[in-house]
Amino acid sequence: MWGVWLCDGFWFSTGSLARHNLVTRPAISVNLEDGDEVVVLKGSGTSCTDLSDLQRLCDVYGPKYDYPLTPTEDGEVRDSGGTGGPAFHVTPNVVFGWRRDMTSPTR
């Protein structure tokens, strides 16, 4: 799943089953797909419908992935084809990181 780090946490949008699960159980872990430089974030995911927050997400997300998103009046984000879903903000409780072979571990 693609997402962006803003000053107040990790932001992403999804139309997957995760959107339903986060409503009842907000605990979430997020990690990079890179196994050589590992970052694991654990925290709480909350739905965000505020248009100014959604615009901040879209302003960073589009250029990062060359995949523009636009906030909608119903509090979600959509691509140019209309595909999208709700946006979530993950507030980290703890972040772990390490390099290959568990060198340079940090919390």
Side-chain angles (χ1 to χ4, degrees):
M1 179 173 317
W2 291 349
V4 296
W5 183 264
L6 299 175
C7 64
D8 55 351
F10 183 77
W11 290 77
F12 69 97
S13 176
T14 184
S16 76
L17 186 58
R19 67 185 177 165
H20 300 293
N21 294 341
L22 284 170
V23 171
T24 57
R25 294 183 14 190
I28 186 171
S29 64
V30 179
N31 61 276
L32 297 175
E33 61 186 341
D34 184 349
D36 291 333
E37 295 185 331
V38 177
V39 175
V40 178
L41 176 149
K42 292 185 177 190
S44 297
T46 56
S47 177
C48 176
T49 58
D50 179 79
L51 288 179
S52 63
D53 286 336
L54 295 176
Q55 187 62 58
R56 285 188 317 130
L57 165 63
C58 294
D59 289 346
V60 177
Y61 189 98
K64 178 179 180 181
Y65 296 108
D66 193 24
Y67 191 81
L69 294 177
T70 304
T72 65
E73 290 298 322
D74 62 350
E76 295 188 349
V77 295
R78 301 266 179 233
D79 65 15
S80 60
T83 302
F88 294 90
H89 171 232
V90 179
T91 303
N93 295 328
V94 65
V95 179
F96 299 95
W98 60 88
R99 290 199 169 112
R100 174 182 273 184
D101 300 327
M102 290 296 291
T103 59
S104 304
T106 187
R107 177 177 177 193

